[in-house]
Amino acid sequence: MATQDVIARSATTTPSPSVREQLDVAKLIDTSVCIGCKACQVACMEWNEVRDEIGSTVGVYDNPDDLTADSWTVMRFAEHETDEGDLEWLIRKDGCMHCVEPGCLEACPSPGAIIQYSNGIVDFNQDNCIGCGYCITGCPFDVPRLSEKDNKAYKCTLCSDRVSVGLEPACVKTCPTGAIVFGSKEDMKEHADGRIADLKSRGFDNAGLYDPAGVGGTHVMYVLHHADKPGLYSGLPEDPSISPMVGAWKGLTKPLAMLAMGATALAGFFHYVRVGPNRVEEDDVDDATPPVAAERDERHDADRGGH
Amino acid sequence: MKRDIQRYTANERSNHWAVALLFILAALSGLALFHPALFWLSHLFGGGPWTRILHPFIGVAMSVLFALMAWRFAGRNRIQPRDRQWLGQWRDVVAKRDDRLPKVGKYNAGQKLLFWVLVASLAVLLLTGIVIWREYFSGAFAVGLIRFASLLHAFAAFVLVTTIIVHIYAAIWVKGSVGAMLHGKVSQAWARKHHPLWHDEKMRKKER
Ligand code: SF4
Ligand code: SF4
């Protein structure tokens, strides 16, 4: 079926097919409810039919210990000692945040390899992916991964296939504690408010919602007990945004550079038209003329290649 | 009888044109990834993935051959005081008022400037290119460095392409230069007009 609800398409300067408007969706991950059972990881690989290679434990519960082209979501476990000396597990489900302003899409040079649907899902289309890895360079959350098998970039799709037919993502469906919920972004914010009020009443004064404004908000949001210090959750960025270097690399400088190169070529053309070729009149030269005295320094810099 | 004089040896010419061909391939494949409006250029290389695969290898080959050429030509390209004067009189240069310009040796100041800009931009392109070459090297670098290298790579490429446009135009404009690089010879009159000091030097060598 043709897509009709694309609001952004990588490396494309004309409008994308976008007549169909859809409701903003969001997945809310409540870290205070998550028990780290990894059922969501299993559901993800089951539904998407990707199987990562069996690795080895590296002394932590994270398994695999990083996102890969075959593991689109990974539970990250952080031990945190509170000021009172209590130990807390801060468990975060890592994966694509489905940014409103996606750095991956901004950086991608291949038309249509990354698309953003009007419901907010950022999807990779591996048919168009050329494997350059620019998306990794552009992503403020370090999410996409290139596959060594096929040199295509992969990441969480927010189960765009399920969502497009009215289902919730597989991880949401399977979560046994209800730590992951899915719905309209508005509803999810409301739900988060309730959760945050509850956490505050239980002494988590800094509980809050993670929906970073630096990337225009995200379609995957977290309820954090320590929303003032997202970094505690295995390095969740405090204030993520597209790096200014990526902005300069992919932003206005490109059309300006194109213009400058075109202008240089045009300037040459018009110079030729106005001034004409620089020709030597072969006839006005008398070969018998003795050579003028050469300046000393010129004789001294001999060619290295030798003549 | 008027005798043409040798300006470039067969090795110099072969080296120059090998670099030139690789430059065209590198530039076209690079431009395909530079701006969406030019992505169609990737078709010349067999599609997007092939463009991505080939571009860095072409770039490395170009850099190596360019390094050889730069080594040959570096000695003749040292900037001298009269080069500054020549550059200062660029208005006379573009208006063909050659008689007002300081006498030129084997290369004029514009050619020397071109030479050093090429050396610098190719060095930057090679080094940053390695950093952003995902398939083999990027894993060894921090993302901040990769971002910086990507930006610098694009900038150096812009400088290189613009400079080469000027280089190509100058070669077309100054009649006789393309021939010099194609078959190695220039006429006496050409040498005397454009590179009088070099011409004298050549003549003196012949006398001895
Ligand atoms: S988290 Fe990274 S990969 Fe996901 S949408 Fe944002 S920029 Fe793209
Ligand atoms: S690797 Fe990433 S940036 Fe490159 S074409 Fe594929 S999706 Fe786009």
Side-chain angles (χ1 to χ4, degrees):
Chain A
M1 194 181 66
T3 44
Q4 302 162 344
D5 54 348
V6 175
I7 53 173
R9 209 171 165 270
S10 56
T12 304
T13 47
T14 51
S16 308
S18 55
V19 279
R20 190 146 51 105
E21 290 274 328
Q22 287 192 318
L23 194 66
D24 258 358
V25 295
K27 180 165 80 179
L28 183 70
I29 302 168
D30 187 344
T31 57
S32 67
V33 172
C34 171
I35 55 170
C37 68
K38 299 177 183 164
C40 51
Q41 273 184 231
V42 175
C44 179
M45 57 189 262
E46 280 288 332
W47 174 260
N48 293 300
E49 295 190 85
V50 280
R51 298 286 183 274
D52 209 340
E53 260 172 46
I54 296 174
S56 42
T57 41
V58 292
V60 292
Y61 285 107
D62 307 18
N63 179 20
D65 67 348
D66 195 9
L67 296 169
T68 70
D70 301 298
S71 293
W72 301 345
T73 185
V74 162
M75 306 309 293
R76 296 194 185 271
F77 294 73
E79 286 175 34
H80 170 59
E81 206 181 314
T82 62
D83 296 338
E84 293 81 50
D86 294 334
L87 201 64
E88 283 177 350
W89 272 123
L90 301 181
I91 308 169
R92 174 163 72 90
K93 180 185 183 311
D94 194 8
C96 176
M97 299 296 287
H98 297 272
C99 310
V100 172
E101 289 153 20
C104 56
L105 193 147
E106 166 114 5
C108 177
S110 181
I114 303 181
I115 41 184
Q116 184 178 38
Y117 297 111
S118 63
N119 63 10
I121 293 181
V122 178
D123 221 349
F124 282 17
N125 181 348
Q126 282 78 18
D127 286 343
N128 296 339
C129 171
I130 66 169
C132 58
Y134 285 5
C135 48
I136 309 172
T137 307
C139 173
F141 295 95
D142 183 28
V143 167
R145 294 288 184 270
L146 276 175
S147 163
E148 285 179 12
K149 261 178 263 163
D150 57 12
N151 270 299
K152 306 283 178 192
Y154 293 91
K155 67 160 192 72
C156 157
T157 68
L158 205 67
C159 287
S160 55
D161 48 352
R162 293 172 58 90
V163 172
S164 69
V165 292
L167 299 172
E168 58 197 354
C171 55
V172 179
K173 174 100 181 158
T174 206
C175 179
T177 61
I180 320 178
V181 280
F182 180 80
S184 77
K185 184 153 179 177
E186 275 317 299
D187 288 354
M188 291 306 102
K189 279 185 175 169
E190 220 177 291
H191 181 80
D193 286 343
R195 288 296 309 137
I196 291 160
D198 177 58
L199 283 168
K200 285 194 168 157
S201 75
R202 294 197 285 135
F204 292 101
D205 293 334
N206 294 315
L209 181 70
Y210 187 81
D211 179 23
V215 290
T218 51
H219 293 273
V220 171
M221 305 185 292
Y222 292 109
V223 170
L224 304 175
H225 350 49
H226 307 290
D228 55 328
K229 288 182 221 134
L232 293 177
Y233 299 78
S234 306
L236 188 62
E238 194 96 16
D239 188 13
S241 62
I242 297 179
S243 158
M245 280 187 288
V246 173
W249 170 41
K250 286 289 170 177
L252 196 62
T253 52
K254 294 239 147 163
L256 287 183
M258 293 274 289
L259 212 69
M261 287 188 283
T264 310
L266 264 185
F269 177 72
F270 281 104
H271 179 257
Y272 201 90
V273 168
R274 293 173 68 96
V275 178
N278 192 341
R279 242 190 267 279
V280 181
E281 299 297 332
E282 297 289 340
D283 294 336
D284 68 358
V285 172
D286 173 9
D287 261 6
T289 327
V292 286
E295 282 165 44
R296 264 247 233 65
D297 49 0
E298 183 60 32
R299 254 181 292 149
H300 279 266
D301 37 79
D303 269 12
R304 288 206 206 175
H307 275 272
Chain B
M1 202 197 94
K2 285 180 203 167
R3 282 271 220 57
D4 283 354
I5 47 182
Q6 180 87 14
R7 187 159 165 82
Y8 297 110
T9 66
N11 281 345
E12 286 167 345
R13 282 175 274 147
S14 309
N15 197 339
H16 172 272
W17 288 112
V19 173
L21 291 174
L22 286 165
F23 166 80
I24 288 169
L25 294 177
L28 292 178
S29 55
L31 285 169
L33 308 178
F34 181 75
H35 193 278
L38 298 176
F39 191 77
W40 58 272
L41 289 169
S42 63
H43 293 300
L44 300 174
F45 298 86
W50 270 114
T51 305
R52 184 262 306 162
I53 292 168
L54 292 174
H55 176 77
F57 287 106
I58 297 170
V60 167
M62 171 174 70
S63 305
V64 169
L65 287 178
F66 178 81
L68 283 178
M69 189 166 76
W71 179 251
R72 277 174 204 279
F73 292 159
R76 286 283 194 169
N77 278 288
R78 273 184 232 126
I79 307 275
Q80 288 156 346
R82 69 179 128 82
D83 292 326
R84 279 178 235 288
Q85 191 196 334
W86 193 95
L87 287 174
Q89 281 176 256
W90 65 270
R91 273 170 233 276
D92 291 328
V93 176
V94 295
K96 292 197 290 191
R97 293 189 288 258
D98 302 56
D99 45 318
R100 297 194 197 172
L101 295 169
K103 285 210 163 19
V104 169
K106 181 152 186 188
Y107 299 118
N108 64 41
Q111 292 170 299
K112 291 181 182 180
L113 196 64
L114 163 95
F115 178 84
W116 292 111
V117 170
L118 295 188
V119 169
S121 52
L122 268 149
V124 171
L125 281 167
L126 182 67
L127 293 177
T128 55
I130 286 169
V131 174
I132 64 178
W133 198 346
R134 272 287 162 192
E135 202 161 358
Y136 306 111
F137 303 110
S138 296
F141 301 102
V143 68
L145 185 67
I146 298 175
R147 285 174 184 153
F148 180 64
S150 308
L151 180 59
L152 216 59
H153 194 81
F155 177 72
F158 163 70
V159 170
L160 177 65
V161 170
T162 313
T163 309
I164 292 293
I165 291 175
V166 175
H167 174 52
I168 294 173
Y169 174 69
I172 295 173
W173 181 49
V174 179
K175 296 298 166 203
S177 335
V178 176
M181 198 39 103
L182 274 175
H183 47 77
K185 297 247 170 34
V186 292
S187 73
Q188 297 258 3
W190 188 94
R192 194 165 321 171
K193 176 169 179 349
H194 296 297
H195 302 275
L197 297 180
W198 173 71
H199 177 247
D200 296 351
E201 186 191 322
K202 281 289 214 192
M203 291 302 104
R204 249 192 315 280
K205 267 188 196 159
K206 253 183 211 163
E207 281 165 20
R208 264 182 237 141

